[in-house]
Amino acid sequence: MTIKDLSALTGYSVGTVSRVLNDQPNVSEKARKTIREAAEACGFQLNTNAQQLKQQRSNNILVLVKGSSNQFFGALVEAIQARVSEKTSYHLVVDYLDEDSNEVLRALQLVREKKPLGILFLGGNEENFRTHFARIDTPCVLVTSDASDLTFPNLSSVCCDEFQATKSAIDRLIAMGHRQIGIIGGFRERSDTATRRFQGCMAAFEEHKIPFAPDQDYANARFSHEGGYLAAEMLIARSDRYTAIFCMADVMAMGAIRCLTDHGLKVPQDVSVIGFDGLSVGEYIVPRLTTVSQSVELLAQRSIDLLRQLFEDGATAAHEFIPAEIQWRESARSI
Amino acid sequence: MTIKDLSALTGYSVGTVSRVLNDQPNVSEKARKTIREAAEACGFQLNTNAQQLKQQRSNNILVLVKGSSNQFFGALVEAIQARVSEKTSYHLVVDYLDEDSNEVLRALQLVREKKPLGILFLGGNEENFRTHFARIDTPCVLVTSDASDLTFPNLSSVCCDEFQATKSAIDRLIAMGHRQIGIIGGFRERSDTATRRFQGCMAAFEEHKIPFAPDQDYANARFSHEGGYLAAEMLIARSDRYTAIFCMADVMAMGAIRCLTDHGLKVPQDVSVIGFDGLSVGEYIVPRLTTVSQSVELLAQRSIDLLRQLFEDGATAAHEFIPAEIQWRESARSI
DNA sequence: TTGTAGGCGTTATCAT
DNA sequence: ATGATAACGCCTACAA
């Protein structure tokens, strides 16, 4: 079933049929009605391939997720999905890569293959953008990292103020009496987010003159439960003096809590644990997770709005912050 | 950049270029080499739209996820994604619908629009298939439900034996001394899986002559943490005699545990809790979750293998069971 | 082994 | 307001 068939069926030419199906002007009401009904009757669908071939562009927004094991991105994709299908008629194409592959190179390939209207990068490495992004002229938004240092006209960004959010959390921990604080975070050489959050930690420690030795007190982890567990194990092996552990992701925090519990340590009585992200599961675990929370809905909303401004209005690149807020729950306490 | 450009660039005709790019025979090694190198040099990518328009089919496998809040499906999609991109060159198109929309009608629409090679239904309602599936002739696999009662030649299925798996879990609970057992499960009028598992429960209760009043002892819940929490709340309000609660999903179980804890009840000392799915997070919560575990990797593997057999080999529909096994961990105990 | 040309379903331009 | 027609980029007989 093609518009040709529809044309034969209704007696109108393919031109008129096409115009009706695309809600274009210069069609009589009569023709519009006849054709609409015929199309309805046989459940007609335009052939996307022919359409996109002709128009030289797709209807797709590409989402590039870096590090699929990170549950936060999972929740984010879902929120983006929801907003796109509710508010627009664009189609989402989601592509996953592991944490250490080059997202910009991958984007380059997918741009040629799929000709998306725009790209949402969920996570990304500044270095990769610096070296390869110049070759991409599709509108893009970097989500969860700040790209204002990168002055590409087609690259917007939205994230929370990672530095400040993290610093506030550590400040607060210090204000509550903690002096021996361990950090579980991502590999800083691979993750800009981990680097920013690390800097936030360091700023807090320096401001309050709390000793902190990265070699000793910082443990690398992948963004997963297991990663958090393993990192906590390392921290515990190195020292039993920690009264608090700050984790750069809620999933890490859950792993860490499990590990502490296995070592007979109670959370928060013996050790306080703070996570980052604000995953809804945090409200259901025992103890409820204290976390630096960022709204996935807001992040989703802002990122696709920013992207649409770029490709619909030809707007210039913009860089936004969304608020992050500490959800004080049960896994951390004053000492 | 099109094959025409590549043709001009190398001096060969578009026919030869196309043959090289599609790894077809009847091309001299010399031509192959020249064209490959030229394509490589300018990062050439075939235009998928033109390709698929011409070939009248796509390279896509469609995944229809019913009920996106169910974390189990999230894990399953990820496993499918991993296997498809590792073992094949097909592309995955994932589409989410909420729990009460009609997946078969949606599939019908997407078949026309995207012409996928095959469809994977993650979750599905037998009734919907019975009434509308006859109009679909694309190869399909129903995942997590048994479709052997539906005798469509293009519909395979793979799932665990929901009835037996559930019955074993309840049998075991009874063997461990539990007599007052509450069930938290999906809405049976909407979910076949919930119905099957419910039947498994009932069979166990009847076999062991344990009294069970669905009105009283079964609480409906959505497949989410919150759903589990709310359902547990209802169960507790109705009776304080339960020594064990069986939940039809790990996320429900997590919600239930949180609710019990909020009511001052200890898991498993006061109440045992068993989940279903075997989500990896279950190993990290406190207490570690006892659960009826099915392997998402195996489910992913079998479902795409079954689908490929259907559309690659023209195989006839097959219906498989994968094993389910109780992971005995900390959240349930003998009394 | 290589080249040529028709057509896939659509959109858009140009007549009418 | 409507119709005819030329692309879009690719594949694939068929011809050479």
Side-chain angles (χ1 to χ4, degrees), chain A residues 71-270:
Chain A
Q71 204 178 316
F72 179 69
F73 285 153
L76 189 49
V77 169
E78 213 171 274
I80 290 171
Q81 179 76 252
R83 189 168 174 87
V84 166
S85 61
E86 186 190 354
K87 300 270 184 186
T88 77
S89 63
Y90 302 122
H91 210 95
L92 224 55
V93 177
V94 187
D95 199 87
Y96 296 88
L97 346 67
D98 50 39
E99 205 152 346
D100 36 49
S101 49
N102 189 317
E103 68 281 7
V104 183
L105 254 27
R106 175 76 178 143
L108 210 54
Q109 183 191 8
L110 287 169
V111 162
R112 279 196 279 255
E113 187 181 325
K114 300 206 171 296
K115 307 203 192 322
L117 293 166
I119 304 176
L120 253 32
F121 288 93
L122 267 43
N125 182 288
E126 196 170 315
E127 191 50 32
N128 291 339
F129 280 78
R130 235 181 261 288
T131 28
H132 300 290
F133 191 77
R135 294 158 66 194
I136 295 182
D137 54 5
T138 306
C140 296
V141 177
L142 178 54
V143 189
T144 72
S145 260
D146 178 25
S148 55
D149 288 350
L150 272 34
T151 54
F152 294 106
N154 58 329
L155 180 63
S156 293
S157 71
V158 52
C159 59
C160 69
D161 186 337
E162 310 279 0
F163 178 90
Q164 260 314 322
T166 310
K167 179 168 181 304
S168 309
I170 303 290
D171 282 346
R172 184 73 181 270
L173 235 26
I174 293 170
M176 293 170 83
H178 294 279
R179 292 295 174 269
Q180 301 278 344
I181 302 174
I183 309 286
I184 292 178
F187 294 84
R188 307 203 290 290
E189 61 277 20
R190 272 189 253 154
S191 160
D192 296 337
T193 302
T195 304
R196 292 258 160 74
R197 293 181 188 172
F198 174 74
Q199 290 163 346
C201 293
M202 290 309 285
F205 290 135
E206 279 161 21
E207 185 176 312
H208 299 284
K209 310 246 186 298
I210 303 290
F212 183 86
D215 288 353
Q216 185 74 16
D217 304 323
Y218 187 97
N220 285 323
R222 290 184 306 115
F223 284 78
S224 65
H225 298 112
E226 190 195 13
Y229 190 100
L230 265 21
E233 195 80 76
M234 291 177 54
L235 243 30
I236 292 170
R238 289 183 197 153
S239 159
D240 59 356
R241 312 288 299 267
Y242 297 113
T243 62
I245 294 180
F246 172 80
C247 303
M248 291 192 184
D250 285 349
V251 286
M252 290 175 178
M254 291 177 70
I257 289 173
R258 180 68 257 181
C259 180
L260 291 164
T261 308
D262 286 347
H263 283 267
L265 296 163
K266 286 209 184 319
V267 177
Q269 292 83 345
D270 299 320

Side-chain angles (χ1 to χ4, degrees), chain A residues 34-61:
Chain A
T34 318
I35 294 169
R36 279 256 170 73
E37 278 168 3
E40 190 71 30
C42 39
F44 178 78
Q45 285 281 109
L46 282 168
N47 180 317
T48 323
N49 286 316
Q51 210 173 18
Q52 293 176 10
L53 171 59
K54 177 64 191 174
Q55 298 183 156
Q56 302 282 55
R57 61 177 181 78
S58 75
N59 191 38
N60 297 332
I61 291 177

Side-chain angles (χ1 to χ4, degrees), chain B residues 6-243:
Chain B
L6 221 44
S7 153
L9 212 68
T10 58
Y12 288 96
S13 74
V14 292
T16 307
V17 174
S18 172
R19 279 184 283 260
V20 169
L21 265 23
N22 289 289
D23 289 314
Q24 286 181 19
N26 296 328
V27 180
S28 67
E29 270 319 305
K30 181 156 166 281
R32 205 177 288 281
K33 185 159 174 291
T34 318
I35 294 170
R36 279 256 169 74
E37 278 168 4
E40 189 71 31
C42 37
F44 178 79
Q45 284 281 110
L46 283 168
N47 182 317
T48 323
N49 286 316
Q51 206 173 23
Q52 293 176 9
L53 171 59
K54 177 64 192 179
Q55 299 182 156
Q56 301 284 54
R57 60 177 182 78
S58 75
N59 192 38
N60 297 331
I61 291 177
L62 181 62
V63 181
L64 237 43
V65 185
K66 191 163 181 182
S68 69
S69 65
N70 188 346
Q71 204 178 315
F72 179 68
F73 285 154
L76 189 48
V77 170
E78 212 171 275
I80 291 171
Q81 179 75 252
R83 189 168 174 87
V84 167
S85 61
E86 185 190 354
K87 299 271 185 187
T88 77
S89 63
Y90 302 122
H91 211 95
L92 225 57
V93 177
V94 187
D95 199 87
Y96 296 87
L97 345 66
D98 49 38
E99 205 151 347
D100 36 51
S101 49
N102 189 316
E103 69 280 6
V104 184
L105 254 27
R106 176 75 179 143
L108 209 53
Q109 183 191 8
L110 287 170
V111 162
R112 278 196 280 255
E113 187 182 325
K114 300 203 172 296
K115 308 204 191 324
L117 293 167
I119 304 177
L120 252 31
F121 288 92
L122 267 44
N125 182 288
E126 195 169 316
E127 191 50 33
N128 292 338
F129 280 79
R130 236 181 261 288
T131 27
H132 301 290
F133 190 77
R135 294 157 67 195
I136 295 182
D137 55 4
T138 306
C140 295
V141 177
L142 178 54
V143 190
T144 72
S145 260
D146 178 26
S148 54
D149 288 352
L150 272 33
T151 53
F152 294 105
N154 58 329
L155 180 63
S156 292
S157 70
V158 53
C159 58
C160 69
D161 186 337
E162 309 279 359
F163 178 90
Q164 259 314 322
T166 311
K167 179 166 181 303
S168 310
I170 303 289
D171 281 347
R172 184 74 181 270
L173 235 26
I174 294 170
M176 293 168 83
H178 295 279
R179 293 296 174 268
Q180 301 277 344
I181 301 174
I183 309 287
I184 293 178
F187 294 85
R188 307 203 290 290
E189 61 278 20
R190 273 190 254 155
S191 161
D192 296 337
T193 302
T195 304
R196 292 258 161 74
R197 293 182 188 172
F198 174 75
Q199 290 163 344
C201 292
M202 291 309 286
F205 291 134
E206 279 159 23
E207 185 176 313
H208 300 283
K209 312 244 186 297
I210 304 289
F212 182 86
D215 289 352
Q216 185 74 14
D217 304 323
Y218 187 96
N220 285 323
R222 291 184 305 114
F223 284 77
S224 65
H225 298 113
E226 191 194 11
Y229 190 100
L230 264 25
E233 194 81 74
M234 291 177 54
L235 242 30
I236 292 170
R238 290 183 197 153
S239 159
D240 59 355
R241 311 289 299 267
Y242 297 114
T243 62

Side-chain angles (χ1 to χ4, degrees), chain A residues 43 112 258 262 285 288, chain B residues 43 49 112 258 262 285 288:
Chain A
R112 279 196 279 255
R258 180 68 257 181
D262 286 347
I285 64 170
R288 287 186 172 83
Chain B
N49 286 316
R112 278 196 280 255
R258 179 69 256 182
D262 286 348
I285 64 171
R288 286 186 174 84

